[in-house]
Amino acid sequence: MAYSAEPSSSLSFTSSSHLSNGSVSHNICSSYGSDPVPNLEVISLSKLSSNLEQLLIESDCDYSDADIIVEGIPVSVHRCILASRSKFFHELFKREKGTSEKEGKLKYNMSDLLPYGKVGYEAFLIFLGYVYTGKLKPSPMEVSTCVDNVCAHDACRPAINFAVELMYASSIFQIPELVSLFQRRLLNFIGKALVEDVIPILTVAFHCQSSQLVTQCIDRVARSDLDQISIDKELPHELSGKVKLLRHNPQRDVENDASALDALSLKRITRIHRALDSDDVELVKLLLNESDITLDEAHALHYAAAYCDPKVVSEVLSLGLANVNLRNSRGYTVLHIAAMRKEASIIVSLLTKGACASDVTFDSQSAVSICRRLTRPKDYHAKTEQGKETNNDRICIDVLEREMRRNPLAGEAGISSHAMADDLHMKLLYLENRVAFARLFFPSEAKLAMDIANAETTSEFAGFSASNSKNKNGNLREVDLNETPIVQNKRLLSRMEALMKTVEMGRRYFPHCSEVLDKFMEDDLPDLFYLEKGTQEEQRIKRTRFMELKDDVHKAFSKDKAEFSRSGISSSSSSSSLKDSVVHYRARKV
């Protein structure tokens, strides 16, 4: 467990109250020594604490008079308790801000209460529990640990982030004893955490005006090998300036690549980075032509993978001028940086361009282990509902693990199907239908494949997924009298190339589901449109085959789950999607 309730966490119930004297109980205990009076007071306070806790956990009787919306979830609170314990809430409720609802409750959005940063649902419940009871509960493992099996969870990013959220809440809502407690916890992280994980600690310390925490974090960052460009991007100017001052050491300057560069080269690299920030890859090419700086010397791919839009990364890759497996001064490849960002489309783009998933950092971390150390169990094990997107963290890990298990010598499967005719329209119809069924069976994975292939930017052909839009460009089979055959063929080929790339992505990263789709499209699609047509025997055979097809989908997902050694997309979801897809398709054909 990342944290446990410490003896010091059960602080005096009156210690944070701005309406009463927190030293009263201490004086009583000092005066009476071992007399039974303080024991009675402790018992009384403990009973009061337990009684107030019931207000939070009892669902039968709700006496709350306000809701605070956290991550879309309403948390019922009692204004009298919050106002008596927190000066922040005392002032807030006195101003009577909020939106009155029919039931009479006031509603407040957490995001409106915070000037910066965030406080998650679980962190707020822990904070609220202390405000009501004076006791600090252990942090929930599902949000304060990572999914890396070898991690001790004593300094991984979820553990740090949860403590950061609690310190932030304690500071903003003015519970000083909690601020002190979490400041101590964060101080313990600084020496053990990766330097990039110290950044959120430094940021919250700066905003909460914790000078001791700020000083130690700055010292750690200054002594690290974290490049100054990343520091400037991720920290307020005031903090990055302090780090730069501490680093102004001739010996240290030689050890840092960015500092060792001459001023002119550094200026040219900065221009390239600014062009990437502006999503202007054409300007990047112009800057490369005007100077002797290369993309690799500027670590342009590393920068884009960390800070730019995924499409910019794809465009930089398409230039073919950068080494996709280049390491920076810290030993991180571009894929390592993408794993730290946890952006699935960038990860897949890099893998398709030859990024090596098995490369490790100087401290033996692979891209997938980096990703796992950043992912909370709550996000990784979140259930995927039918038709809704799979959690992005889960997709990143699954794609990287799939690549690690993939045979690097195996050639890519081509698009070959007996159901495809030579005619361009027939090919497009086949591909549109195949991709459409993939989107019904496993929507998040199909969407990822389509994003990488830029399929969404091309107009749909009139297949199963064809749009009913009245826009003449929304359907490639509609006739545009002003369009020449050459232009039309160019559009058709562009769409077909995007769809073929989408199918290729699916076969590479989701092979078992792709096998089911192949068989479905080639053997079963025509017959299953018309389950009610034909003789009774023919109908019986079709229905039997439909049930077998559902079993095939179950088996495909079971294989995926077996390979990942954990739960995947639910088979019940996939089978129901299969049934819906056939019914929908038949309806369109009729």
Side-chain angles (χ1 to χ4, degrees), residues 272-328:
I272 291 174
H273 291 171
R274 287 177 179 172
L276 291 171
D277 286 334
S278 302
D279 299 349
D280 195 342
V281 178
E282 289 298 319
L283 178 57
V284 171
K285 291 195 291 185
L286 182 62
L287 292 172
L288 292 174
N289 291 333
E290 291 180 350
S291 70
D292 57 354
I293 297 293
T294 66
L295 286 179
D296 287 347
E297 289 172 335
H299 290 290
L301 263 183
H302 286 83
Y303 185 88
Y307 305 114
C308 299
D309 187 273
K311 289 185 178 179
V312 174
V313 178
S314 181
E315 290 177 22
V316 174
L317 284 169
S318 67
L319 297 178
L321 301 175
N323 176 6
V324 75
N325 290 307
L326 179 71
R327 293 180 182 272
N328 63 15

Side-chain angles (χ1 to χ4, degrees), residues 334-342 347 367-368 370-371 374 400:
V334 185
L335 189 60
H336 295 147
I337 300 297
M340 292 168 66
R341 182 174 172 178
K342 293 191 295 183
I347 289 173
V368 69
I370 289 173
C371 213
L374 296 170
L400 287 167

Side-chain angles (χ1 to χ4, degrees), residues 34 37 62 70 76 116 118-119 127 145-147 270 321 331 335 369 393 396 467 493-494 500 508 517 529 536 577:
S34 59
V37 175
D62 182 10
V70 188
S76 298
Y116 40 77
K118 60 160 287 201
V119 173
F127 168 83
T145 63
C146 68
V147 294
T270 301
L321 301 175
L335 189 60
S369 63
D393 295 356
C396 290
S467 171
L493 289 170
S494 175
M500 290 179 71
R508 179 170 182 174
L517 282 172
F529 288 159
Q536 289 186 350
S577 296

Side-chain angles (χ1 to χ4, degrees), residues 458-528:
T458 58
S459 301
E460 286 183 301
F461 186 65
F464 169 66
S465 64
S467 171
N468 288 325
S469 172
K470 294 181 181 180
N471 186 340
K472 65 183 179 181
N473 293 325
N475 187 330
L476 290 180
R477 295 191 75 181
E478 291 187 9
V479 177
D480 182 355
L481 297 179
N482 295 320
E483 184 179 55
T484 65
I486 294 176
V487 173
Q488 185 186 47
N489 282 338
K490 186 176 180 180
R491 271 197 303 122
L492 296 179
L493 289 170
S494 175
R495 177 63 175 174
M496 186 170 72
E497 181 180 357
L499 291 174
M500 290 179 71
K501 189 174 180 181
T502 300
V503 174
E504 179 186 346
M505 293 299 98
R507 290 189 177 181
R508 179 170 182 174
Y509 296 108
F510 314 106
H512 302 302
C513 295
S514 294
E515 289 174 7
V516 171
L517 282 172
D518 287 340
K519 187 165 182 59
F520 176 68
M521 295 297 296
E522 295 179 9
D523 299 339
D524 301 300
L525 189 58
D527 288 337
L528 291 180

Side-chain angles (χ1 to χ4, degrees), residues 105 193 253:
K105 280 189 178 182
D253 287 347

